[in-house]
Amino acid sequence: MCLNWPAKVWVKMLNDIISTKKNQWLQSSDCAITGLIGHIKRADKLRTPQIEAIETYLFLKIAGENKPLWQLFSEGFFNESQNSTVLNLKPNALALYQFAKRQKLAKLADLILEHPSTLDYDTIIKSLFYNVSYPDYLLSLPMGAGKTYLMAAFMYLDLYFAQLEPDNKHFAHNFLVLIPSGLKSSIVPSLKTIKHFEPSWVLPEPAASHLKSLLKFDVLDESKSAKKSNKANNPNAKKVNDCFADPFGNVFVVNAEKVILSRVDLNPTLSTVEKTDDDKSRFANELRHLIGEIPNLSILIDEVHHAATDDIKLRRVVTDWHAGGNITTVLGFSGTPYLQKADTINIASVNLKLTEISNTVYYYPLKKAVNSFLKKPLIHTVDKLNRLEIIKRGVELFDERYKNHVYANGTIPKVAIYCPSIEVLHDEVLPFLLTDLAISQDEILEFHGGNKNYSLPKENELAFRSLNLPSSKHRYILLVQIGKEGWDCPSLTGVILSQKGDSPQNMVLQTACRCLRQVDFGKHETALIVLNQENHDTLDKQLQQEQHTSIEDLNDFRNDKPTTVKRFERLNQVNLPAIDFYQLNIEYQTIYAETVPNTSEKLSALRSNLGTFQTVGISYDNNSFEAERENLNTIAQSGNEIAQYFQWLFHIARASFSTLSVQELREFDGDLKAIFESVTFEQNEQRFFNTRYDLSKVESQIRLSFAAKRNYETRYDHVKESAQLLKITTIPDALNDEKLYPENAAFILDADKNAPLDVDLKNVQMTYEEFKKLEAIPADVKRKNHSFHYLPYHFDSGFELDVFKNALGLLDNFQDLEIYYNGERGLTGFVINCATRKGKNLEKIGKYTPDFLILQRGADKQIHKMLIIETKGEVYADKFKSRRAFMKSDFLDENQKQFGYAKFDFLYLEDSKGLNENTAELNAKINQFFTEVL
């Protein structure tokens, strides 16, 4: 029998399995990269898919010990543990059985159960992963997601760990970047951006700067002997040979087919040595041999989804290299992880057709990227018009939307008009733009490889390379067989494919999406794609087959404002009671202690005590900060801000918000000039502010000197309140971004008996009942009636989201506990009045909305105990100190006094600790608070 295996199944299956195992590892005590991932997230320079890909890569490197995928699969590394207690199968058999069950391949699953000991499981599993004996991982990220920067990140991470453990073969010391033939003109410049990657985005200092100083780059693109040489030299081989003097931190960029594979014979003997004795063969053999000798070499292959013939050649070459013991890892990068021709795997009587690249370990779909950070496209189809008419329509639409736009970085939007041949470009399209559309020649750039009839001046290539600079004034880019993929030009905002053949049919998706790269991070940007009907149909088909989306879906993302998601309350499903607690209520009564301000006395006192306003010098020593106060009588002079007395008075008055004028200040010139001279110093006949003084505090005291001193009498009591966790039933739509959770919200809504009829489930591939039959039900779905009083939640930060996900996993061991997100202001009624103690009095410091609530109900279904959890980024920790102190003392003490037991507890989690440490602290608090005997 033959079972057709849908294209989307394998990638999603393997990606989901690895993602689940990776997240478990990241949360475990065995994870050694918690601090590193925390640093990357705090640096906030990489996108979510890049960070997730790094997590996956390091998971396979460290937890997976850099083993080939087939071996990890066969050893049961990805197996779900619960099945091992049900089936008496060896790890490799269990792995294949679980795979069959996940993909609903009943015949294969039955075959394994009927003949558990007769199938050659290792051979079958190896065939799924192309029978390679080395670690071979593909990371699939769409165009514009930052694959080139991801390559650089992997290089620096490998070198970082390699320096920590020089003898660990899991981490590379040197790197070979392979690019497809024909893309040299567009991909090599993009890969050179690796040089500009800032390693501090993924590594701490000083390690980052040290490693950057070690990297050495060479492009192996010379195909001829050295000039004026009497003998044939191999300049590419010489570059590689030179690296052996210092085999650490070398990065070689190579045109894969032209330099490495051009002389590889597909003879069944699997030899990668060309038998002929011409110079080209000798050069290719010499270069391949030397590359195979580079120690601890990692191979990175860009746009890995190319022709099967080249893929076979490459695997042969890499297999030969690996036999020499020097290959560390092979990494492939692609936005389209599919096979041009399906592979067929025969397992006894079952044939499996694979249409995806099966070693895809990370997958981030195009639709998700468009929703998150790529330009939102308008895909406009024009039917029954000729080439020039469609180009005219496309240029008019482009000009209408973008002619007067300039991006924040100074670049102007550009539109690429693709032509099937140089003749069509020169004889039809270019004259049409110049005459009929009256476009200036200065705004048009043509770029192609040339032929015997048409050639281009050399400056055109430079202009093409410079299109993404503010200095470029070219707006209409005419291309032939250039820029189909790998072309990195974020300011490209439009693409026109007017006829079939403007792009190879198998690359319409890559060509059309050239214009989706983001220019200004965090901005809502749009793009224009204009197609004739044939290219429309091809693009729609490729989007569905390769990206599981459609033109209709992508067009839905284009709005005048960012897309939003409709949300729903689930109060009936969770039956959430009100929270009874005692709230602090403070009232102030002002008592004036002075009838006049006594300004002169206060300014004189300030002059006498200026030493108390000296700043504290800070020195850094061994990861700890130490404060040192200098001798009050020998204040150093430091600062470069020019000081002028009258401007200083104006600044003091302006900061009083109209309660104090410059005229009032001038009445006390004598005192104020004395203070001014004390907090400034003179150098080269110019006066400067002395930064050794806290000038803001000095100026604040000056303003207070003009106000009558007042005392406050504080009256406070505690009032019992009953707060609803959701005080509104119509929840506002949320911004559709990566801080929405859960991803399975549609499944949960589908499962609710009273699910709203207008819930959009068109993208749900199975019902909830079918979903429940999966062997690994996600925690969010499993705890749907104990964790979500509305759907979906929209978190303020990725740290909040990570804490919530981990908490869901912890609560599997506490079936009587529920967790809810309370941090979205305006939705919740549970808001706490906070205060700080000033002597015997309490002073208001504002309201506090806790992030998370873990609660336990009593026999009456009311809330018996509740753990209040606050998450904070390190940069916000100081601002929360006073509220944190109030919660841990006054709030807890008063409510324990009123209820007669510890109804509430409070836990503060900060992202500087790392997710593992925070999860352990949360687990300990849950165990202590909810299991203690009262």
Side-chain angles (χ1 to χ4, degrees):
M1 65 175 296
C2 180
L3 298 175
N4 287 327
W5 190 352
K8 64 182 179 183
V9 170
W10 172 261
V11 164
K12 182 166 178 56
M13 187 276 292
L14 187 59
N15 177 61
D16 284 352
I17 290 176
I18 293 178
S19 179
T20 298
K21 294 292 183 180
K22 176 201 74 175
N23 289 334
Q24 291 173 356
W25 177 68
L26 289 172
Q27 297 165 20
S28 72
S29 58
D30 295 331
C31 179
I33 64 168
T34 303
L36 197 61
I37 297 301
H39 169 82
I40 294 172
K41 290 182 177 179
R42 287 191 296 274
D44 198 25
K45 297 296 184 182
L46 300 184
R47 295 189 175 103
T48 294
Q50 293 169 313
I51 295 174
E52 290 178 347
I54 287 171
E55 291 174 342
T56 300
Y57 176 68
L58 293 178
F59 167 65
L60 293 171
K61 279 272 186 177
I62 298 172
E65 299 179 349
N66 202 44
K67 294 179 181 179
L69 281 174
W70 81 264
Q71 187 176 348
L72 291 174
F73 215 78
S74 188
E75 291 175 353
F77 183 73
F78 301 123
N79 286 355
E80 297 167 17
S81 57
Q82 62 265 35
N83 282 334
S84 61
T85 62
V86 178
L87 303 171
N88 186 23
L89 295 174
K90 293 182 178 179
N92 54 3
L94 180 59
L96 194 61
Y97 174 78
Q98 289 181 351
F99 158 72
K101 293 291 287 183
R102 278 179 173 269
Q103 307 316 320
K104 304 185 184 305
L105 303 176
K107 294 290 185 181
L108 178 57
D110 291 344
L111 184 67
I112 294 170
L113 294 180
E114 291 170 6
H115 308 284
S117 59
T118 58
L119 294 177
D120 187 349
Y121 294 105
D122 282 356
T123 297
I124 294 170
I125 293 170
K126 282 182 180 179
S127 66
L128 293 176
F129 295 104
Y130 310 116
N131 293 302
V132 299
S133 56
Y134 46 84
D136 185 13
Y137 309 141
L138 174 72
L139 298 111
S140 178
L141 292 84
M143 174 278 308
K147 294 192 291 290
T148 307
Y149 268 178
L150 190 57
M151 288 183 184
F154 288 155
M155 292 177 186
Y156 281 110
L157 288 166
D158 262 43
L159 293 176
Y160 176 72
F161 285 105
Q163 283 207 325
L164 293 177
E165 301 181 55
D167 297 327
N168 189 338
K169 295 292 186 180
H170 298 169
F171 298 102
H173 295 192
N174 302 284
F175 307 91
L176 178 71
V177 181
L178 298 179
I179 62 174
S181 178
L183 297 177
K184 175 183 173 183
S185 61
S186 55
I187 288 186
V188 169
S190 176
L191 291 179
K192 287 182 179 179
T193 60
I194 294 173
K195 292 183 179 181
H196 304 301
F197 181 82
E198 178 51 60
S200 63
W201 297 350
V202 294
L203 294 172
E205 293 289 6
S209 297
H210 171 66
L211 290 175
K212 188 169 188 176
S213 69
L214 297 181
L215 247 59
K216 302 172 285 291
F217 295 86
D218 264 312
V219 179
L220 307 182
D221 59 353
E222 299 183 46
S223 57
K224 298 180 180 180
S225 302
K227 292 182 179 180
K228 299 181 180 180
S229 175
N230 294 325
K231 60 179 181 178
N233 292 324
N234 188 341
N236 294 325
K238 182 180 184 303
K239 291 179 181 180
V240 175
N241 192 64
D242 289 345
C243 87
F244 291 106
D246 182 17
F248 191 90
N250 296 284
V251 181
F252 296 105
V253 182
V254 185
N255 184 313
E257 289 107 317
K258 186 175 181 180
V259 179
I260 300 292
L261 307 179
S262 61
R263 313 296 287 184
V264 173
D265 191 356
L266 281 177
N267 189 289
T269 62
L270 300 184
S271 171
T272 60
V273 177
E274 175 64 42
K275 301 301 184 183
T276 60
D277 196 32
D278 59 56
D279 284 344
K280 288 185 177 180
S281 294
R282 183 163 55 81
F283 284 3
N285 292 336
E286 181 183 10
L287 183 58
R288 282 195 297 271
H289 171 74
L290 282 173
I291 289 174
E293 295 294 315
I294 301 174
N296 298 83
L297 181 68
S298 183
I299 302 174
L300 300 94
I301 311 170
D302 196 23
E303 305 298 350
V304 75
H305 54 275
H306 278 263
T309 299
D310 295 327
D311 185 60
I312 294 171
K313 288 182 179 181
L314 181 59
R315 291 193 186 281
R316 290 187 182 180
V317 172
V318 175
T319 298
D320 278 2
W321 285 342
H322 181 258
N326 290 319
I327 301 302
T328 300
T329 313
V330 177
L331 295 174
F333 299 83
S334 176
T336 50
Y338 67 96
L339 298 170
Q340 293 185 6
K341 182 180 179 181
D343 280 348
T344 301
I345 305 297
N346 181 267
I347 305 174
S349 60
V350 178
N351 290 330
L352 301 179
K353 284 191 174 182
L354 285 73
T355 55
E356 294 276 352
I357 300 176
S358 62
N359 59 329
T360 306
V361 299
Y362 179 74
Y363 176 55
Y364 196 89
L366 174 66
K367 182 177 178 179
K368 194 172 182 179
V370 170
N371 185 38
S372 299
F373 53 82
L374 294 181
K375 294 190 184 92
K376 310 301 189 278
L378 168 63
I379 304 176
H380 183 78
T381 302
V382 184
D383 191 19
K384 298 179 181 178
L385 294 180
N386 63 36
R387 176 184 302 282
L388 299 182
E389 290 171 329
I390 294 176
I391 290 176
K392 179 181 179 182
R393 179 75 60 85
V395 168
E396 289 173 344
L397 286 171
F398 177 81
D399 285 350
E400 177 185 329
R401 287 162 171 76
Y402 305 110
K403 185 67 177 284
N404 298 318
H405 183 73
V406 178
Y407 289 112
N409 63 3
T411 59
I412 60 173
K414 301 161 185 67
V415 58
I417 304 172
Y418 290 85
C419 303
S421 67
I422 299 176
E423 284 74 17
V424 169
L425 186 157
H426 272 277
D427 299 342
E428 299 180 35
V429 178
L430 180 59
F432 180 73
L433 295 184
L434 293 171
T435 57
D436 293 57
L437 299 186
I439 297 174
S440 168
Q441 178 73 64
D442 294 338
E443 293 186 292
I444 301 173
L445 176 68
E446 52 178 313
F447 190 56
H448 48 73
N451 59 24
K452 63 181 181 181
N453 297 319
Y454 299 98
S455 60
L456 290 176
K458 291 184 178 180
E459 53 264 28
N460 279 42
E461 181 171 357
L462 177 61
F464 182 76
R465 303 245 186 275
S466 306
L467 280 173
N468 204 47
L469 297 177
S471 58
S472 175
K473 302 307 176 187
H474 293 112
R475 195 181 300 273
Y476 309 93
I477 318 304
L478 306 184
L479 301 172
V480 179
Q481 297 301 317
I482 295 291
K484 301 185 294 297
E485 60 180 349
W487 177 24
D488 183 4
C489 183
S491 58
L492 181 70
T493 308
V495 163
I496 299 176
L497 296 174
S498 59
Q499 296 293 307
K500 181 179 180 180
D502 288 348
S503 166
Q505 285 299 98
N506 65 336
M507 299 184 73
V508 171
L509 170 58
Q510 291 92 326
T511 305
C513 291
R514 282 300 93 201
C515 59
L516 300 187
R517 291 178 184 270
Q518 187 180 44
V519 182
D520 300 328
F521 278 23
K523 296 291 183 67
H524 178 74
E525 298 175 345
T526 61
L528 174 68
I529 300 172
V530 177
L531 310 168
N532 72 329
Q533 189 62 50
E534 287 178 300
N535 281 319
H536 169 102
D537 296 342
T538 301
L539 175 61
D540 203 45
K541 180 180 178 181
Q542 291 177 357
L543 283 170
Q544 293 180 44
Q545 291 179 342
E546 302 168 21
Q547 294 293 339
H548 323 314
T549 187
S550 66
I551 288 178
E552 180 182 3
D553 285 345
L554 294 185
N555 273 337
D556 284 345
F557 284 124
R558 185 188 168 93
N559 294 306
D560 292 333
K561 58 183 180 180
T563 57
T564 57
V565 170
K566 189 174 182 179
R567 298 193 288 176
F568 305 91
E569 57 90 6
R570 301 183 66 249
L571 294 176
N572 289 336
Q573 281 71 28
V574 298
N575 191 25
L576 194 61
I579 302 171
D580 292 333
F581 70 108
Y582 282 86
Q583 179 84 285
L584 177 66
N585 182 41
I586 299 179
E587 295 180 357
Y588 295 121
Q589 182 178 358
T590 303
I591 301 174
Y592 286 89
E594 290 180 336
T595 57
V596 293
N598 297 312
T599 301
S600 182
E601 294 178 10
K602 292 176 183 176
L603 290 177
S604 295
L606 176 59
R607 287 174 55 191
S608 302
N609 294 291
L610 279 175
T612 61
F613 293 92
Q614 295 166 23
T615 57
V616 178
I618 302 296
S619 62
Y620 181 79
D621 179 31
N622 193 26
N623 297 321
S624 65
F625 290 101
E626 182 180 294
E628 299 175 345
R629 183 175 297 281
E630 299 195 27
N631 189 302
L632 298 183
N633 297 318
T634 57
I635 292 297
Q637 296 178 348
S638 173
N640 55 15
E641 182 183 354
I642 295 175
Q644 295 180 350
Y645 176 67
F646 290 109
Q647 287 187 357
W648 182 60
L649 293 184
F650 176 75
H651 172 72
I652 294 172
R654 185 175 56 182
S656 73
F657 298 101
S658 301
T659 63
L660 185 62
S661 67
V662 174
Q663 288 76 11
E664 290 174 287
L665 289 168
R666 291 295 310 278
E667 293 177 13
F668 297 89
D669 265 344
D671 291 314
L672 291 175
K673 284 184 177 179
I675 295 172
F676 175 76
E677 290 176 359
S678 296
V679 299
T680 60
F681 64 93
E682 190 170 343
Q683 183 175 300
N684 298 328
E685 299 182 353
Q686 179 67 59
R687 188 160 285 277
F688 298 90
F689 284 111
N690 192 345
T691 56
R692 295 290 181 166
Y693 285 97
D694 190 330
L695 293 173
S696 63
K697 289 185 178 180
V698 172
E699 293 162 0
S700 175
Q701 286 298 312
I702 292 172
R703 287 187 289 268
L704 288 174
S705 299
F706 285 80
K709 185 177 180 181
R710 293 175 291 178
N711 287 335
Y712 295 91
E713 182 179 281
T714 306
R715 294 179 181 177
Y716 64 90
D717 58 3
H718 291 85
V719 180
K720 188 174 183 179
E721 286 195 10
S722 186
Q724 298 291 337
L725 227 60
L726 188 60
K727 65 181 183 180
I728 59 176
T729 55
T730 302
I731 307 169
D733 295 349
L735 188 65
N736 191 3
D737 58 24
E738 295 171 349
K739 296 170 188 172
L740 282 176
Y741 189 80
E743 294 179 357
N744 300 303
F747 289 116
I748 295 173
L749 291 170
D750 184 39
D752 292 342
K753 291 182 179 179
N754 299 318
L757 296 177
D758 59 346
V759 173
D760 181 10
L761 298 175
K762 67 181 180 181
N763 293 318
V764 177
Q765 302 300 318
M766 62 186 85
T767 67
Y768 176 73
E769 291 303 316
E770 293 172 324
F771 187 70
K772 285 197 302 184
K773 295 177 183 179
L774 293 177
E775 296 182 8
I777 300 177
D780 52 5
V781 178
K782 190 185 303 182
R783 297 191 57 83
K784 70 185 185 73
N785 289 340
H786 296 85
S787 299
F788 301 101
H789 56 311
Y790 64 93
L791 280 174
Y793 289 154
H794 188 265
F795 295 97
D796 287 338
S797 68
F799 179 50
E800 281 186 348
L801 176 56
D802 289 340
V803 169
F804 185 76
K805 287 181 178 179
N806 283 8
L808 284 180
L810 291 177
L811 294 188
D812 274 348
N813 300 319
F814 302 89
Q815 296 303 315
D816 63 332
L817 299 186
E818 305 168 43
I819 181 170
Y820 298 96
Y821 181 53
N822 185 68
E824 194 166 349
R825 291 171 179 80
L827 299 187
T828 179
F830 186 57
V831 179
I832 299 168
N833 297 330
C834 294
T836 186
R837 291 199 174 274
K838 292 291 181 71
K840 296 181 179 180
N841 292 324
L842 284 172
E843 183 178 297
K844 292 179 182 179
I845 54 174
K847 295 182 180 294
Y848 162 52
T849 305
D851 287 335
F852 301 105
L853 307 174
I854 297 180
L855 59 91
Q856 181 184 60
R857 306 195 198 202
D860 59 357
K861 303 300 182 182
Q862 300 303 303
I863 296 174
H864 174 61
K865 301 184 79 172
M866 189 166 75
L867 175 61
I868 301 169
I869 303 170
E870 179 63 25
T871 60
K872 272 286 180 286
E874 184 179 9
V875 295
Y876 303 108
D878 283 343
K879 295 182 179 180
F880 189 69
K881 277 183 178 179
S882 55
R883 286 174 172 81
R884 179 181 178 185
F886 173 81
M887 290 299 300
K888 291 180 71 67
S889 55
D890 295 71
F891 179 83
L892 296 183
D893 292 345
E894 183 62 31
N895 276 276
Q896 180 163 352
K897 173 184 173 183
Q898 296 285 356
F899 287 104
Y901 72 98
K903 179 174 181 176
F904 299 98
D905 204 348
F906 178 78
L907 177 64
Y908 173 81
L909 302 175
E910 189 176 303
D911 66 356
S912 59
K913 293 181 181 178
L915 195 55
N916 283 349
E917 186 176 345
N918 279 315
T919 303
E921 191 172 345
L922 174 59
N923 187 47
K925 175 63 76 173
I926 291 172
N927 279 284
Q928 173 261 317
F929 180 58
F930 290 106
T931 59
E932 65 183 5
V933 178
L934 299 179

